[in-house]
Each structure stands twice: as structure tokens, then as C-alpha cells.
Amino acid sequence: MASDDIALLAEALSKTHVGYGELSYKGQGLKLDNTESVKELVREIEEYQGLRALRLEGNTVGVEAAQAIAKALECKDQLQVLGGERLEINCLSLGSALMTAGARLRELDLSDNAFGPDGVKGIETLLKSSVCHSLQELRLNNCGMGIGGGKILAAALTECHEQSSVLGAPLKLKVFQAGRNRLENEGATALALAFQLMGSLEEVHMPQNGINHAGVTALATAMQHNPHLRILNLNDNTFTKRGALAMAQALRHLRTVQVINFGDCLVRSEGAIALSAVLREGLPTLKELNLSFGEITEAAALVLAQAVQDKPHMEKLDLNGNCLGEEGCEALKETMDNMDRADILASLSDDEGEPDEEEEEEEEVEDEDNGKEMKENGVKDEKESPVKLEPTCHPEILSFLSSPTAETLLKLGDNRTGLIQQHVDVSDPDKVADAFLRISSLYSDDHEVKKAVLETIDILLKKAFSGSSLQTYSFLSTLLVMLGLLKGEGKAKKVQVLPGHLLVLEHAVQQDYFPQDHATLLDTFFDPSRHHFKKNTSKYNFSTLPAPECFHYL
């Protein structure tokens, strides 16, 4: 080591922070590549009685130097915290030293070490050992673990939990960070199983990992089993509708969440509406919600804004970078101001503007291509049969729901409502929305037909709305997509809008089974100032509506 480097080390050591049980060389910018270069540092470690924490972040430590440090740690049985980046570290020797010492780690931070899957193998033995039975915080950001590393890590944490449980003190990991690791679906799913087993997580940070709806769904299931979760950061992964619905379902079960970061996750409008349902009925301690850069349109953003109105702890709502348009941004600001919550709305300076028709057509083509790919892979395309029928479905019901007519509806007789509700899966919002549109399309001035349509719809929706708020919000979301009022994805396809659709919807809104907050949601979409819809007191007079061409994407 050159004399000037030794001088730099001596100067750095003179600035070393020595707190209660802690030696910190954090941010010193040292390049320690051999035994000689860490001679003074090792002496400091050896002479420190009661060492509890060693901070090496912000330095570069080569393999030989790391081995020397590990040797010095072999007698430090009180060590609880170890952190270091750019270590080029021989993890096996470090883990061996800690196990020799009989240390009980509380925090392990090896972020920004590009050790990859092989590096995870290096700490696998350490994570499985009694040293980590007491681990509460594990930080492995930007380590290049990949799918393989994620699986190894998940298996190690699972074994650690199992072995510690046998000893009567199960692993209770509280903080997990693994951003920028390309874990993808397989790695995320493996870790989700470990998270579900532990059930002790309070913070989960997994941004930028290439996870799409399959991995997000697995993580959502795991989060339901961690009731003390406070922070959930999945920024810059890809939810789409399926992932967003799964995560919304999970959040319904959590009462202590304070920070949700789903920014840059393609939550989109349907996902935003699902999350709005959860906000209305739960998440009582929420402080921050980040849904930026998610392709959310104006009306869905307004629904979100209304949902946070009664959140007393809310400090920040971030909807920047979505597709509101200039007028939409102003409408959102005005809504927040009217609710006296303008102070919590983050900047909208990077709004993407309203999506144009060309972009929407491209996305529809993409959905069709995805459907073809599913068929080629032997996966059933759910678009083909929106209405789920039971195997024992009566032939006349099958005939009616496949090709509904007023004549076949009346032929079902007085028991038509019972037969239809028995054979339409009301637990599936998409199936209910499809059935609603099929039946309401038959509405006419004929008294007998009108009576049959309205009675059938009332029974169907009353049963459907007896489910969770999330389920019924999903029904409205799908209905709005099929009516062409909301840009959607997946199996819900637009229909030709008929007067009966809107007239029956007007009837449904006025019934006791129809929740007031759902009427508020519709109020946001059927905005007279933008759709030229005429109000009749608090209800809409749909009979005065113009032709279906008035509908457009929000």
C-alpha cells in the first residue's frame, strides 16, 4: 500500500465515528485491498470491547482485506449490526467468523455488492445459522441476485425460520429490502412463500425487479399474512389490472399500513378504482400513497381523490405522471381544494396528457395478441365466455344468456330471477357486468318486458352487492369499461351502448341495494359538464341522453 494511501487511512480512522457499541467507517471512501491496508482498522476492531455494530458502507474492501476483518470479528460475540457496500467480499469467511464468534445479528446490510447468485450462496450458510435467528433487518439492494439468487435467499430464510422455531424463538424479520435485483416472477414468488411463513414483516422494499402480475399476486397473498406491515414499496414493477386487484384484495386485510408506493407500476384506471374501494373501507393509518406514472385517467384519479377525503393521517397523494390532461389536472386540484386537502396533493408537473385514440387502439390490438398467445399455449381465453354457467344449467337459461331476447326472457316464467341468479357467478364482477348488460339491453316500453328486466336486474345486483366493497367496485369498473367510459384491459370488451343499458342503470342507482359511494363513482364518470348528461335532481335523467357517440374514454 502506498504511503499516501496509508496517510489517507490514518486520517479516515481519526474521523471514525465511535458510538455506543458502534464503529463506523461509513462514507470514508477507503480502498482496502490487502491485509496491510486494514492493519489499523483491524486493530481498532480487536481493541473495541463490546462491539455491537460495524459500518463499512461507502468503502471498497477486497477479498484479502475482508478475510482479515473477518478474522478480527471471530471474538466479537456481541456484534448485532454489520453493513458494507463495494466489499468484493468473501462472504464465506465473513459468515464463518460470525458463527465462530457466536454473534447474534439484528441487522445485515450488504447492499450495492454485485455478488450475483453466487454471492447469495456465499451468505446462504450464514443466513441459515443461529447467527441470523435474531435477524430483524435484511438489506440487499442492488446486488444482482437474479431469479436464482432470489430462490436461494428464500430457501435460506425459510430454513432459518424453521430452525429458530424449533428452538422456541422463530425468526421475526421486520425489514426486507431487495431493490434492483431482477428477481422477476420466480424470485418474487419464492420470497413470497418465505414472507408468508414468517408473518412478521413491517417494511417490504422491492422496487425495480421486473415483477409482473403473477409475482405481484404472490406477494399480495404473502402480505395478508403480515398484519403489522407499515411500508410496502414495489415501485417500478408491472401490476396491470390483475396485479392491482390482487394487491387491493390483500390491503383490505391490513390495518397498520402507512406508506404505499406503487409508482410506475401500470396500475391503470381499473386498478386505481379497486384501490379506491380499499381506501374507503380500510387503511385507517395511511399517510402516503404513490400511484404516479400508472396510466391513470382523470375520472379514476377523481375517484381516488374522493376516497382519501376521510383519511385523517394522509400526508401525500402522488398522482404525477398519469394521463389526466390539462383540464383533468385542474379538476383534480379543484377537487382536493374543495375537500380542504390540497396540501397533500403532490406536483402534477409531469402529467402525460390524455391518451389519444391511436394509443388506445394499439393497446386493444395488444390485448388481442395476448389472447392469441394464450390459446397457442393451451390456456383458455376467458373473453370467449364472459357468463359463467354451471354444468347443470337449464337449456333455456343457456339459450337466453347466450343470445338474450325479450321473448326468451318472458318464456322463463315467474321463476326467471331465481334461475338466472343461480347460474350467473355473482362472486365474479366481470360475469355480473356482462349479465347486467345482456339483460338490460332488452329494456323496452312494453310493460311486461320492462317489469321482467327490472326485477331480474334487482335480484342479480342485490345478491352481487352483498359481497365486499372491492368486489362491487370491480363490477362498476368492468361495467364502465364495457360501456366505453373507461379504458380497460383484459377480457372486458366494449359493447354497443343501447338506451336500455342506461335506463336500467338509472333505475338501479335509485334502489336501496345500491351503495351511495358507488353512485358517487358514477357521478364522476357521468359528468354533465363533459358528457352533456342532464341531471334530474340528484339522479340522472338518462332518457334525455344523446346517442351513444357521446361516450368517449376519460
Side-chain angles (χ1 to χ4, degrees):
M1 188 178 188
S3 59
D4 55 344
D5 290 333
I6 294 175
L8 285 172
L9 176 58
E11 182 182 356
L13 290 173
S14 69
K15 298 177 181 178
T16 297
H17 170 69
V18 181
Y20 177 70
E22 177 180 299
L23 275 177
S24 177
Y25 304 92
K26 188 173 181 178
Q28 301 289 351
L30 303 173
K31 185 175 182 180
L32 310 172
D33 51 13
N34 55 40
T35 303
E36 182 64 22
S37 67
V38 292
K39 184 177 179 180
E40 292 299 318
L41 189 153
V42 166
R43 182 183 61 80
E44 291 277 346
I45 294 173
E46 291 176 339
E47 293 180 356
Y48 198 111
Q49 300 300 315
L51 180 63
R52 294 177 181 272
L54 176 61
R55 298 287 190 182
L56 296 172
E57 297 97 320
N59 301 289
T60 300
V61 184
V63 173
E64 186 178 334
Q67 289 173 336
I69 294 171
K71 184 68 176 176
L73 291 174
E74 287 184 353
C75 61
K76 301 301 176 183
D77 61 347
Q78 296 184 51
L79 190 68
Q80 297 179 1
V81 180
L82 177 64
E85 62 188 41
R86 296 195 299 275
L87 291 176
E88 300 176 17
I89 197 164
N90 186 326
C91 295
L92 287 172
S93 64
L94 179 65
S96 177
L98 295 174
M99 287 185 282
T100 299
R104 291 292 184 269
L105 285 182
R106 181 180 57 81
E107 178 182 341
L108 179 61
D109 185 351
L110 296 177
S111 297
D112 300 307
N113 287 291
F115 46 59
D118 290 338
V120 181
K121 291 179 181 178
I123 61 172
E124 181 182 13
T125 303
L126 172 64
L127 289 172
K128 291 179 178 179
S129 73
S130 60
V131 173
C132 290
H133 286 184
S134 55
L135 196 63
Q136 295 183 18
E137 301 181 18
L138 178 60
R139 294 181 170 85
L140 297 170
N141 288 316
N142 192 31
C143 290
M145 286 190 288
I147 295 173
K151 290 181 175 180
I152 295 170
L153 177 61
L157 290 173
T158 298
E159 183 167 335
C160 182
H161 182 272
E162 291 174 349
Q163 294 297 328
S164 59
S165 296
V166 170
L167 298 175
L171 171 67
K172 293 185 178 180
L173 193 66
K174 294 182 179 180
V175 178
F176 179 84
Q177 295 185 355
R180 298 182 65 187
N181 273 290
R182 296 305 306 177
L183 295 170
E184 301 184 19
N185 287 337
E186 292 183 61
T189 299
L191 285 165
L193 294 174
F195 296 162
Q196 183 170 328
L197 180 66
M198 291 185 290
S200 55
L201 288 168
E202 296 179 8
E203 296 184 24
V204 175
H205 304 263
M206 297 176 67
Q208 297 183 351
N209 270 294
I211 307 169
N212 65 30
H213 68 85
V216 170
T217 299
L219 289 170
T221 300
M223 293 307 103
Q224 293 186 46
H225 296 270
N226 288 266
H228 303 297
L229 188 71
R230 294 184 297 104
I231 300 175
L232 181 58
N233 176 9
L234 296 176
N235 187 282
D236 200 6
N237 289 290
T238 306
F239 281 39
T240 61
K241 178 183 177 181
R242 281 178 284 183
L245 288 176
M247 196 58 70
Q249 179 67 34
L251 290 170
R252 290 180 59 234
H253 301 276
L254 301 174
R255 307 293 295 175
T256 61
V257 176
Q258 297 178 6
V259 178
I260 296 174
N261 186 344
F262 295 161
D264 206 10
C265 284
L266 284 185
V267 169
R268 294 180 173 153
S269 297
E270 289 180 278
I273 289 174
L275 291 170
S276 298
V278 180
L279 285 167
R280 286 184 180 275
E281 67 178 15
L283 298 173
T285 63
L286 190 65
K287 293 182 178 180
E288 295 184 20
L289 176 62
N290 183 347
L291 295 178
S292 59
F293 299 93
E295 294 189 1
I296 298 169
T297 50
E298 176 191 343
L302 293 176
V303 172
L304 271 170
Q306 293 161 1
V308 303
Q309 180 176 7
D310 297 323
K311 295 297 173 190
H313 304 289
M314 199 74 178
E315 298 174 357
K316 184 177 182 180
L317 173 64
D318 191 346
L319 293 172
N320 195 22
N322 282 296
C323 303
L324 310 185
E326 185 176 346
E327 291 184 4
C329 288
E330 290 304 315
L332 180 59
K333 291 176 182 177
E334 182 179 352
T335 297
M336 297 297 290
D337 188 50
N338 290 340
M339 297 187 304
D340 198 25
R341 303 306 302 271
D343 58 316
I344 70 172
L345 183 64
S347 169
L348 300 174
S349 59
D350 295 319
D351 186 72
E352 296 286 339
E354 295 183 60
D356 55 37
E357 293 181 4
E358 184 177 342
E359 290 175 345
E360 292 161 1
E361 290 173 0
E362 288 176 356
E363 289 185 9
E364 289 179 8
V365 171
E366 183 180 345
D367 288 338
E368 291 174 3
D369 290 341
N370 289 338
K372 291 177 183 177
E373 183 179 347
M374 291 169 67
K375 290 181 183 179
E376 292 171 358
N377 293 328
V379 179
K380 182 180 178 182
D381 183 358
E382 296 186 17
K383 297 177 189 176
E384 294 180 351
S385 181
V387 178
K388 180 179 178 181
L389 303 177
E390 300 296 333
T392 57
C393 185
H394 292 72
E396 59 270 27
I397 294 293
L398 178 61
S399 174
F400 170 72
L401 292 175
S402 298
S403 182
T405 66
E407 182 180 2
T408 55
L409 177 65
L410 295 177
K411 281 184 177 180
L412 292 176
D414 294 337
N415 195 31
R416 67 179 70 88
T417 56
L419 290 173
I420 290 175
Q421 70 167 327
Q422 287 175 17
H423 295 94
V424 175
D425 184 3
V426 295
S427 67
D428 188 325
D430 294 340
K431 306 299 190 295
V432 177
D434 183 82
F436 174 88
L437 291 175
R438 288 170 183 262
I439 297 168
S440 62
S441 68
L442 307 178
Y443 183 93
S444 74
D445 290 333
D446 181 279
H447 175 73
E448 191 174 2
V449 173
K450 181 192 298 186
K451 182 174 182 289
V453 167
L454 296 181
E455 286 181 351
T456 304
I457 289 297
D458 284 342
I459 294 295
L460 182 67
L461 293 188
K462 187 174 183 178
K463 188 171 182 180
F465 283 7
S466 65
S468 70
S469 177
L470 176 58
Q471 178 180 315
T472 55
Y473 260 75
S474 295
F475 158 76
L476 284 184
S477 174
T478 300
L479 186 66
L480 291 167
V481 170
M482 297 179 79
L483 289 172
L485 285 168
L486 181 68
K487 185 173 70 173
E489 59 184 74
K491 57 189 175 182
K493 304 296 289 185
K494 286 187 293 181
V495 300
Q496 179 183 359
V497 181
L498 301 173
H501 294 146
L502 304 178
L503 291 166
V504 174
L505 184 57
E506 179 195 24
H507 163 82
V509 169
Q510 300 178 61
Q511 305 312 305
D512 292 340
Y513 60 74
F514 206 96
Q516 181 57 45
D517 58 337
H518 289 42
T520 302
L521 186 154
L522 287 174
D523 182 71
T524 302
F525 282 86
F526 292 88
D527 184 343
S529 66
R530 289 163 50 236
H531 299 288
H532 313 294
F533 289 6
K534 296 182 180 179
K535 283 188 177 181
N536 179 13
T537 64
S538 62
K539 305 298 179 185
Y540 291 109
N541 183 4
F542 289 111
S543 61
T544 64
L545 293 179
E549 286 76 16
C550 70
F551 291 99
H552 62 81
Y553 284 124
L554 298 180

